[in-house]
Amino acid sequence: MDPSHVLGEVYISFWIPTVVLTAALAIKLPTIIRLWRDPLLRAVGGLLLLACAVFVFAAPATIAWVNRVTGVPNIAAPLVYSLLTAFCGSCLLLIIAWRNGLSDRSAETRRAMRLVFCAYSGVIVALWVLFALADAPVERVRDLDTYYANTPFMREETLLYLLAHCTAVLITSRLIWNWVRTDGLDAWLRWGLVCLGVGYALNLIFDAAKLTAVAARWTGNDLDWLSTDLAPPVACLSAILIAVGFILPHAGQYAHDRWRVRLAHHELRPLYRLMRSVNGSGLPFVLRASPELRLIRRETFIRDVLLPLARHIDEDLRRRSYDAALALGFPPGRAKALAAAVTIQDAADRRSRAPDTGGTTGGPDTTDLLQEIGAVSRALRHPDEIEAVRAHTAAPAAPAENVPVHD
């Protein structure tokens, strides 16, 4: 079985990671523009832009187009190698700054960042110098690395970019996996780092495949399929995971916050419906209200109706209901919410029968009710529990009138 035929069946187009990376950049772009002064966000944007450029210019069609437009055979090679080297250096700089934080301005951090910048800038210059010195007249769109593996200066160019890439991947992977093991990380950030770590680990497979194929040419063997058929799909999969790693903390937290807001809005529905029946009308419909605004409007409406309803609240009933809920085995927090639900329903019934008469004089303290509207609303979703508390609250009162008093 020829491995090249098998791998050809699972070939991943270079345009797939380009689309994913572009989507990641589009998701990040509003935040980058809004917080332009944040150097880390600018660095992430530049990194994603470089990654997109790598796959755009590494596509065989683009390579052929660049060679044709410039009139120089294989000039796309140092261009792609330079973009890949710049991407590697940017990854290292970003991880160093991201891991240590902007507040870390120690001499060691600054020295490390200067070293990375100078080293990878030097590699890019060397790639162009080596290409200028090399003799590569035959255009190779897909197998340039192995075709010119024994050609002076092209051999050194290939080895230089692969070693620079491998070094950056090793260091970046180590920094990322050390960071993943740090305590106290946000869950979305941790999963994003895991995706980044796996993506960079796959780059090691890319480097190993390329280096093995080139070394095979040095020894007179032919393992070109490692470079032409295995390395490209591995690089594409790596880029997709790296893009996911960058967008997951942002997109995941955004989706989590939106879900939390929508869930809170949904959980307030039972209490909102009760307050709407007390008030006689609900909130007017707003077509383009955001989820956050709808939640704020619903919370405000509930509290606005609860304030005047407080005059009808029976504090003694709330205490007895709380004791009854505890007696039924509910935990204190749940018992408090059930007692509040019983009391609010009773107050609503009192107000409907005697709207002009107050409950307890002076008005009870409604601070707890106003702060715990979410818990109360969730309790209202379980009428069977409320009825059980209500029945247990009323049960001792019935026989109490006929119980004889003993001296």
Side-chain angles (χ1 to χ4, degrees), residues 330 334 338 379-390:
F330 292 102
R334 183 68 173 171
L338 288 168
L380 287 171
R381 290 185 176 275
H382 302 277
D384 52 335
E385 295 180 358
I386 293 176
E387 288 303 318
V389 172
R390 194 188 300 276

Side-chain angles (χ1 to χ4, degrees), residues 135-153:
D135 182 21
V138 180
E139 182 184 53
R140 308 301 299 185
V141 175
R142 299 186 69 242
D143 63 345
L144 183 137
D145 293 339
T146 51
Y147 185 84
Y148 288 108
N150 292 306
T151 302
F153 299 112

Side-chain angles (χ1 to χ4, degrees), residues 99-315:
R99 179 66 179 88
N100 295 339
L102 292 177
S103 59
D104 186 355
R105 298 292 182 180
S106 65
E108 183 180 356
T109 299
R110 292 196 301 270
R111 184 165 55 251
M113 298 184 76
R114 281 197 303 269
L115 178 62
V116 170
F117 179 80
C118 293
Y120 280 83
S121 297
V123 169
I124 292 174
V125 173
L127 289 172
W128 286 97
V129 172
L130 289 169
F131 180 77
L133 296 174
D135 182 21
V138 180
E139 182 184 53
R140 308 301 299 185
V141 175
R142 299 186 69 242
D143 63 345
L144 183 137
D145 293 339
T146 51
Y147 185 84
Y148 288 108
N150 292 306
T151 302
F153 299 112
M154 285 300 294
R155 173 183 57 220
E156 287 76 10
E157 176 162 2
T158 300
L159 190 61
L160 179 61
Y161 98 83
L162 286 175
L163 289 179
H165 183 263
C166 187
T167 301
V169 168
L170 282 171
I171 297 174
T172 305
S173 296
R174 180 181 177 183
L175 291 173
I176 289 174
W177 288 112
N178 287 342
W179 193 1
V180 169
R181 290 191 289 268
T182 303
D183 295 331
L185 286 182
D186 175 77
W188 292 108
L189 176 59
R190 188 181 298 277
W191 280 110
L193 290 172
V194 168
C195 289
L196 285 174
V198 175
Y200 281 108
L202 285 175
N203 269 317
L204 293 175
I205 299 177
F206 169 86
D207 291 327
K210 286 280 187 180
L211 286 169
T212 302
V214 170
R217 280 295 186 116
W218 294 344
T219 59
N221 296 301
D222 185 356
L223 294 177
D224 289 6
W225 63 271
L226 289 171
S227 177
T228 57
D229 297 305
L230 175 62
V234 169
C236 292
L237 184 58
S238 169
I240 292 172
L241 287 171
I242 289 173
V244 171
F246 277 116
I247 66 176
L248 192 59
H250 178 274
Q253 189 60 50
Y254 175 81
H256 176 73
D257 291 343
R258 280 303 179 97
W259 167 253
R260 187 174 56 191
V261 169
R262 292 181 184 276
L263 181 62
H265 183 270
H266 177 71
E267 287 181 340
L268 287 175
R269 180 173 176 80
L271 185 56
Y272 168 72
R273 294 179 65 181
L274 178 59
M275 294 298 99
R276 188 175 60 183
S277 66
V278 172
N279 189 61
S281 62
L283 289 168
F285 177 73
V286 178
L287 181 61
R288 295 188 177 182
S290 65
E292 291 83 1
L293 180 58
R294 287 200 296 269
L295 176 61
I296 292 172
R297 294 178 74 235
R298 178 165 285 188
E299 289 175 341
T300 303
F301 175 82
I302 291 172
R303 291 189 174 100
D304 287 345
V305 179
L306 269 178
L307 282 173
L309 188 65
R311 297 184 295 110
H312 301 270
I313 285 179
D314 186 346
E315 285 295 326

